[in-house]
């Protein structure tokens, strides 16, 4: 018996085998979920399709979440393919590389809009599109980072975007509560993915992380996948509007001790 038996899960944000979306997909599959996968566009198709095959997934569709038409289109296709959907995972973020370097005040207006559109609004846009086909007992999940709460050098506009995303989680949780659909976020510690590679200084921060974090460990996509199973399963039936840290305890630290 799996924790997600009989659940249909749509996963947005799979790019490659390092993606957090892949950790979540694998964990959901192991727990019995039927999976639909969405990726950003044609360039990723050759990486995503073989991964989908590994889990016997037959619903694999491109969707650029900057486009309301493409979101409407994939929602329609999901409805035709699955009938209803129980779980929607949003593992998507984007900012121009030059916004993730130097001081935050240098953020351009267009760079700010782009980061907010792709990294924040798209979660609300997907929630809105899928709302009519989400089944009671269902769950929406997004991915955030501690840079929403505290300053993480170079994370810049993405930190501001994640703060807005976390606020969206609370507003969506309020809206979807009467439908008995829960909305939560996982705040993951640093993981070496395509998206993370765009943040200046990520590599040295990643290297120090395991020395500093209380559990003295880095985070894997499998760790995030397991926490996602919990949040999207009936085990978390009364948890909504929350941000769950999967960060080896890093966020509880007030003072970072020098490691000898
Ligand atoms: P990733 O690069 O594997 O995933 C990011 C995904 O966003 C990619 O699949 C990319 O194609 C997709 N995307 C970007 N623009 C899009 C668009 N217009 N339409 C559709 N999809 C689009 O990296 P990841 O680290 O797995 O990122 C997943 C989520 O996890 C992001 O929200 C990220 O901010 C968050 N997160 C990552 C870390 C980390 O250290 N890697 C830590 C905390 C939170």
């Amino acid at each position: 018996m799996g924790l997600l038996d009989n659940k249909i899960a749509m996963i947005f944000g799979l790019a490659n085998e390092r993606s957090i979306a892949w950790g979540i997909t694998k964990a959901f599959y192991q727990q019995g979920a039927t999976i639909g996968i969405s990726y950003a566009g044609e360039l990723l198709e050759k990486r995503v399709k073989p991964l989908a095959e590994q889990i016997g997934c037959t619903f694999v569709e491109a969707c650029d979440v900057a486009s309301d038409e493409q979101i409407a289109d994939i929602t329609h296709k999901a409805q035709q393919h699955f009938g209803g959907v129980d779980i929607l995972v949003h593992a998507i973020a984007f900012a121009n590389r030059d916004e993730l370097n130097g001081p935050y005040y240098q953020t351009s207006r267009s760079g700010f809009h782009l980061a907010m559109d792709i990294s924040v609004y798209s979660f609300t846009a997907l929630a809105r599109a899928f709302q009519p086909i989400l089944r009671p007992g269902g769950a929406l999940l997004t991915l955030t980072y501690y840079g929403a709460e505290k300053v993480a050098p170079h994370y810049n506009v993405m930190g501001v975007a994640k703060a807005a995303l976390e606020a969206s989680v609370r507003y969506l949780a309020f809206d979807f509560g009467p439908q008995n659909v829960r909305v939560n976020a996982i705040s993951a510690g640093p993981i070496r993915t395509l998206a993370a590679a765009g943040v200046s200084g990520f590599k040295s921060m990643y290297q120090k992380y395991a020395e500093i974090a209380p559990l003295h460990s880095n985070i894997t996509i499998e760790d995030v996948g397991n926490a996602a199973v919990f949040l999207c399963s009936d085990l978390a039936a009364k948890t909504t509007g929350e941000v769950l840290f999967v960060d080896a305890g890093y966020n509880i630290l007030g003072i970072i001790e020098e490691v000898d």
Side-chain angles (χ1 to χ4, degrees):
M1 266 209 12
L3 289 168
L4 300 177
D5 283 347
N6 305 317
K7 302 257 191 202
I8 312 278
M10 281 293 304
I11 315 260
F12 287 81
L14 183 58
N16 57 39
E17 74 289 349
R18 286 171 173 263
S19 293
I20 291 175
W22 181 235
I24 295 174
T25 301
K26 285 190 297 181
F28 279 13
Y29 175 68
Q30 281 157 11
Q31 293 298 331
T34 301
I35 315 257
I37 289 174
S38 176
Y39 58 100
E42 269 170 31
L43 280 177
L44 292 173
E45 191 177 324
K46 66 175 189 306
R47 291 206 178 273
V48 170
K49 291 240 157 124
L51 293 175
E53 274 168 27
Q54 281 184 35
I55 56 151
C57 170
T58 53
F59 185 93
V60 191
E61 295 287 339
C63 175
D64 178 350
V65 295
S67 158
D68 286 331
E69 291 72 33
Q70 291 190 32
I71 289 176
D73 187 47
I74 195 166
T75 309
H76 180 66
K77 284 178 177 158
Q79 181 169 24
Q80 284 189 322
H81 192 88
F82 295 120
V85 167
D86 301 288
I87 299 168
L88 187 149
V89 175
H90 170 272
I92 291 175
F94 187 80
N96 284 326
R97 218 169 228 274
D98 51 6
E99 309 288 5
L100 303 174
N101 199 357
Y104 168 69
Y105 69 77
Q106 292 287 8
T107 306
S108 68
R109 189 181 297 273
S110 64
F112 188 92
H113 286 167
L114 181 66
M116 293 298 268
D117 188 26
I118 306 302
S119 315
V120 185
Y121 181 70
S122 65
F123 185 47
T124 299
L126 287 171
R128 188 171 66 176
F130 277 80
Q131 184 272 330
I133 63 166
L134 287 173
R135 289 199 278 246
L140 310 179
L141 181 71
T142 188
L143 272 303
T144 184
Y145 177 60
Y146 190 44
E149 288 181 32
K150 304 285 182 193
V151 173
H154 308 299
Y155 202 57
N156 295 354
V157 70
M158 195 50 76
V160 176
K162 291 300 192 192
L165 181 67
E166 292 180 13
S168 307
V169 165
R170 292 184 282 274
Y171 279 89
L172 290 169
F174 180 78
D175 290 348
F176 279 80
Q179 195 177 332
N180 192 20
V181 168
R182 299 174 298 103
V183 187
N184 292 293
I186 289 175
S187 185
I191 303 178
R192 297 180 75 166
T193 63
L194 215 57
V199 183
S200 178
F202 177 87
K203 205 170 160 192
S204 65
M205 188 266 277
Y206 179 88
Q207 281 163 354
K208 287 183 204 130
Y209 197 86
E211 291 170 20
I212 295 166
L215 288 174
H216 293 294
S217 168
N218 278 105
I219 316 305
T220 67
I221 60 170
E222 287 76 19
D223 294 326
V224 179
N226 290 336
V229 167
F230 163 67
L231 282 175
C232 295
S233 76
D234 297 342
L235 289 181
K238 297 290 151 61
T239 300
T240 195
E242 291 297 326
V243 177
L244 177 67
F245 280 95
V246 179
D247 69 342
Y250 189 95
N251 78 92
I252 66 168
L253 298 174
I255 291 175
I256 311 279
E257 272 192 327
E258 283 294 315
V259 182
D260 298 327

